[in-house]
Amino acid sequence: MTCPVIDLAQQLIKRPSVSPDDQGCQELLIQRLQNIGFTIERMPFGDTLNFWAYRGTGETFALAGHTDVVPAGDISQWQTAPFEPTLRDGMLYGRGAADMKGSLAAMVVAAERFVRAYPAHKGRLAFLITSDEEAKATNGTVQVVETLMSRHERLDYCLVGEPSSQQHLGDMIKNGRRGSLTANLTIFGTQGHVAYPQLADNPIHRSLPFLHDLVNTTWDNGNQFFPATSMQIANIQAGTGSNNIIPGKLWMQFNFRFSTELTDAEIRQQVEAMLKKHNLKYELDWWLSGQPFLTCKGALVDAVVDSVTHYCGRTPELSTGGGTSDGRFIARMGAQVVELGPINATIHKTNECVNVADLQALSLIYQRIMEQLIK
Ligand SMILES: [Zn+2]
């Protein structure tokens, strides 16, 4: 007895598509979508394959995901070969089974069933697929989104198939993500002999009042959807290793995970004002890796909650926790964005696996969401 979702997931897992090397995964998906009347636009950028596919016109619901996977890691820790999909005790094992080849298979099979049932659906069904989400992500979704935005392409709803579930399928969906902003800060002093401090200027000592302010600041209190913005110092370095030298500089790196209560510009201003207040000589570089986004109540959240409740018998918790995802780029198109996928307990680990029954249910959930939005 073969199941189309599991069969397609196995075909994808067999292709060792470690980022950004797609290994033919996208051609497999493209073939399936072409067979049911999708128009395909391949959008390669640099070393990364991407495609945009669509069927129908009007209000647009896109399914988004990635064909790339993280490396297998320590092969000796795998019970079966990572790129040899294996069914064992109701689970499908293999690198990418949960993140996110299982979701891709569930999406494509859902689209096939949806198109068969509603060949003249009233809205537009689309796919936005990349082969680099896990690594640099510079030639992936962000570039496709820029291309689509430059020609004013419409995108109303987007479902990202990232593994959002915790203990049970559908117990959690992501309706937003926090922003991520990193500061690389150098504070300058004057190097000298510890025995002659009057001839030197110790940047460690000078930094302490500033550091104290930095870690004791309440940036915001979060809101209904986001926890309070947090700042964490990730690295701090100063000193030559010698016990008799006052160092000439201190380098540190700190990262903000911020809510929609703040903008990255406000954070930058606040930090720079703090540095000035403490009269520090400094150099500061910022790296913004993602803006926060939030999809409040609306047609997409309603459709996802309804479909999960229908098939899983549980109401999903809406969460904005966790790291960043490609949802951050897609939200820039003004689309409502929600992430729903299988249980994430084994992602990026050895012996990555996904529950077979969950994957079949996920495909039915995706299909019901399509029906609710663009039937
Ligand atoms: Zn993923």
Side-chain angles (χ1 to χ4, degrees), residues 3 8 46 82 92 128 147 174 180 188 205 274 279 289 321 329 345:
C3 155
L8 181 53
L92 171 61
L128 195 173
T147 307
K174 299 281 172 78
S180 174
F188 297 99
H205 295 190
M274 216 180 274
N279 270 320
S289 42
F329 303 126

Side-chain angles (χ1 to χ4, degrees), residues 66 99-100 133-134 162-163:
H66 59 89
D99 185 10
M100 55 174 283
E133 192 274 343
E134 299 285 11
E162 289 293 350

Side-chain angles (χ1 to χ4, degrees), residues 144-325:
V144 177
V145 162
E146 265 165 34
T147 307
L148 296 177
M149 280 173 78
S150 71
R151 63 186 202 209
H152 309 291
E153 196 78 54
R154 175 173 186 168
L155 215 178
D156 301 278
Y157 314 110
C158 181
L159 190 140
V160 186
E162 289 293 350
S164 62
S165 304
Q166 310 290 302
Q167 315 286 332
H168 305 282
L169 179 66
D171 60 1
M172 184 177 283
I173 64 175
K174 299 281 172 78
N175 66 325
R177 295 280 185 141
R178 291 180 293 180
S180 174
L181 176 67
T182 299
N184 289 293
L185 173 67
T186 306
I187 290 170
F188 297 99
T190 306
Q191 187 175 322
H193 194 301
V194 294
Y196 300 93
Q198 69 279 16
L199 302 177
D201 180 11
N202 192 324
I204 301 176
H205 295 190
R206 276 197 175 275
S207 301
L208 290 175
F210 163 74
L211 289 177
H212 186 262
D213 267 12
L214 189 69
V215 298
N216 286 299
T217 297
T218 301
W219 303 93
D220 63 26
N221 294 307
N223 55 34
Q224 190 191 347
F225 297 101
F226 286 91
T229 293
S230 89
M231 187 287 307
Q232 291 295 316
I233 299 175
N235 289 288
I236 186 160
Q237 287 167 13
T240 61
S242 161
N243 73 343
N244 63 11
I245 297 176
I246 293 168
K249 61 186 176 193
L250 174 146
W251 175 80
M252 63 183 283
Q253 188 178 53
F254 47 101
N255 176 270
F256 291 87
R257 293 298 161 112
F258 61 105
S259 78
T260 46
E261 294 294 299
L262 277 176
T263 65
D264 67 289
E266 287 167 336
I267 295 172
R268 289 170 208 231
Q269 271 166 19
Q270 221 176 321
V271 170
E272 280 167 50
M274 216 180 274
L275 286 160
K276 295 208 170 81
K277 179 183 126 195
H278 291 286
N279 270 320
L280 294 168
K281 269 188 285 177
Y282 67 92
E283 236 172 55
L284 180 56
D285 288 314
W286 293 101
W287 166 242
L288 176 69
S289 42
Q291 292 283 5
F293 72 92
L294 177 66
T295 297
C296 298
K297 287 281 171 202
L300 179 61
V301 169
D302 290 350
V304 173
V305 169
D306 169 274
S307 302
V308 168
T309 309
H310 181 85
Y311 283 109
C312 304
R314 65 176 64 86
T315 309
E317 179 190 339
L318 272 60
S319 161
T320 58
T324 61
S325 86

Side-chain angles (χ1 to χ4, degrees), residues 42 45 51 63 67 70 75 160 162 164 176 186 211 258 261 282 309 326 348 361 365 370:
R42 292 175 176 81
F45 291 100
F51 76 86
L63 297 147
T67 51
V70 295
I75 304 277
V160 186
E162 289 293 350
S164 62
T186 306
L211 289 177
F258 61 105
E261 294 294 299
Y282 67 92
T309 309
D326 273 0
H348 295 210
I365 293 169
M370 294 171 193

Side-chain angles (χ1 to χ4, degrees), residues 69-82:
V69 296
V70 295
D74 185 353
I75 304 277
S76 71
Q77 295 297 309
W78 285 79
Q79 287 189 34
T80 48

Side-chain angles (χ1 to χ4, degrees), residues 52-63 122-127 153-158 335-336 373-374:
W52 167 248
Y54 53 91
R55 185 185 195 280
T57 54
E59 206 166 43
T60 301
F61 173 41
L63 297 147
K122 70 170 164 53
R124 183 166 72 146
L125 185 60
F127 278 79
E153 196 78 54
R154 175 173 186 168
L155 215 178
D156 301 278
Y157 314 110
C158 181
Q336 298 177 25
L373 294 174
I374 56 163

